[in-house]
Amino acid sequence: MRPTAFSAAGRFWRGNLHTHSTRSDGVLSPEEVCRRYRAEGYDFLALTDHFVGCYDYPIVDTVPFRTDDFTTILGAELHSGAMANGELWHILAVGLPADFAPSDSPDFHVKPGQETAAELAARAVEAGAFVAIAHPQWSGLTLADARGVTAAHAVEIYNHGCAMGCDRPDGAAIADLLLTEGRRLTMIATDDAHFHEPDHFGGWVMVKAPGNTSDALLSALKSGDFYSSQGPELRDIRLFDDRIEVDSSAVAAMIVQGQGTAARAVHGHSMTTSQLDLERFGNSPWLRVTLMDAAGKRAWSNPIWR
């Protein structure tokens, strides 16, 4: 069995799904943000400025910055409702229509009676967006918080801006707990770039799609046909009854995680094909793979349901 990210038609396209510009609290213009990502070899970008009233609820039109080898997807970071810690939710929505209706979110403070995060996420999904729970560790998100947003497609497993700005980049713990409860989520790595610190070009998705178009990329994201990375390439996964085999760029470790304490690793030098037996994972309905290269950079597969 091979996950569709590796068996589906098409090729991998590199993109960032979480970025900000001068249309909210970033320091570069939308045009310059797009230029820099294209110059760094990215195939696509979602500019996701903060969708609050003080910035005039921006869904930035990045269509003029598309080229023959670079595309954009319209999106925003949505905010409404309180988490358990009393702070405002952050919901990433990629693929929003330009006329998506704002919530009653005038600024970054919770407002009584405003739309809940669960309602806002569901409305974004209904409008056609790929929706992710943003930076769980940075937000101080609880499992109960995350459990309530049932419409989300994904969780940010890594947020580079949160790594560089406060050393709170992680979403794996929340994601694994939701998976254990049966939620069929995927995992994305992002930049959350604002360009006022080295918060850019550090985490991305590799999306398998037949073409580098907004529609094709969105469809693949929703289908889970992608992996996430800080550098290593995940080239193939083959799952058998008794073992898993992974092809990759040169890595120093291949780790397989499952439900609860189920986890195993194989370590080596410049490994390009790695293998582990699955005896440890007999009771786990899902598996996921993490690769680590010699510099400590990681790549993450989406969960594989058995």
Side-chain angles (χ1 to χ4, degrees):
M1 177 267 207
R2 297 170 67 210
T4 53
F6 307 100
S7 60
R11 53 155 283 193
F12 283 109
W13 308 93
R14 181 188 183 198
N16 180 39
L17 299 175
H18 191 168
T19 323
H20 300 277
S21 75
T22 50
R23 289 294 306 274
S24 62
D25 59 348
V27 302
L28 300 178
S29 69
E31 182 175 11
E32 178 61 9
V33 172
C34 290
R35 188 200 69 79
R36 292 197 188 187
Y37 273 92
R38 183 186 173 208
E40 292 290 332
Y42 284 70
D43 299 301
F44 70 93
L45 175 71
L47 189 61
T48 53
D49 277 306
H50 295 287
F51 199 62
V52 291
C54 60
Y55 297 124
D56 198 25
Y57 296 106
I59 298 176
V60 181
D61 180 12
T62 54
V63 172
F65 312 130
R66 295 174 181 171
T67 68
D68 290 343
D69 60 358
F70 180 80
T71 198
T72 62
I73 310 175
L74 303 190
E77 188 170 359
L78 309 179
H79 306 277
S80 193
M83 300 180 294
N85 61 12
E87 298 185 22
L88 195 70
W89 267 90
H90 293 236
I91 299 288
L92 191 65
V94 174
L96 286 172
D99 61 352
F100 184 71
S103 57
D104 185 12
S105 304
D107 52 33
F108 289 102
H109 298 94
V110 175
K111 182 177 179 181
Q114 69 186 163
E115 201 172 14
T116 68
E119 292 167 340
L120 182 57
R123 192 160 60 83
V125 169
E126 185 178 356
F130 173 80
V131 170
I133 296 171
H135 39 59
Q137 188 181 22
W138 179 89
S139 294
L141 204 71
T142 68
L143 177 59
D145 286 327
R147 189 184 282 142
V149 182
T150 57
H153 297 95
V155 173
E156 279 187 343
I157 192 169
Y158 176 75
N159 180 299
H160 190 58
C162 293
M164 302 306 291
C166 61
D167 195 27
R168 290 180 173 174
D170 189 64
I174 285 288
D176 283 350
L177 290 170
L178 291 173
L179 291 170
T180 295
E181 294 183 351
R183 287 281 301 276
R184 298 213 169 203
L185 292 159
T186 55
M187 302 176 174
I188 59 172
T190 70
D191 274 344
D192 197 357
H194 294 71
F195 287 93
H196 56 71
E197 57 186 349
D199 58 1
H200 37 280
F201 316 138
W204 55 86
V205 289
M206 298 295 292
V207 180
K208 184 73 166 295
N212 189 26
T213 67
S214 178
D215 287 346
L217 295 166
L218 271 174
S219 178
L221 285 165
K222 293 175 185 178
S223 297
D225 293 343
F226 65 92
Y227 69 90
S228 297
S229 186
Q230 299 170 306
E233 295 178 11
L234 183 48
R235 294 172 179 165
D236 200 7
I237 296 177
R238 297 176 295 278
L239 191 65
F240 303 90
D241 291 340
D242 62 341
R243 69 190 189 281
I244 187 170
E245 297 177 355
V246 176
D247 294 341
S248 66
S249 57
V251 297
M254 188 266 282
I255 305 161
V256 180
Q257 296 102 330
Q259 184 167 294
T261 59
R264 283 197 64 201
V266 57
H267 302 276
H269 299 280
S270 304
M271 300 187 302
T272 56
T273 297
S274 310
Q275 179 175 302
L276 272 173
D277 72 72
L278 296 177
E279 182 178 359
R280 181 75 178 80
F281 302 89
N283 296 320
S284 182
W286 56 270
L287 306 171
R288 63 182 184 87
V289 174
T290 301
L291 301 175
M292 188 184 306
D293 68 15
K297 299 294 186 182
R298 291 167 169 80
W300 301 269
S301 79
N302 282 321
I304 304 162
W305 291 85
R306 304 163 72 196

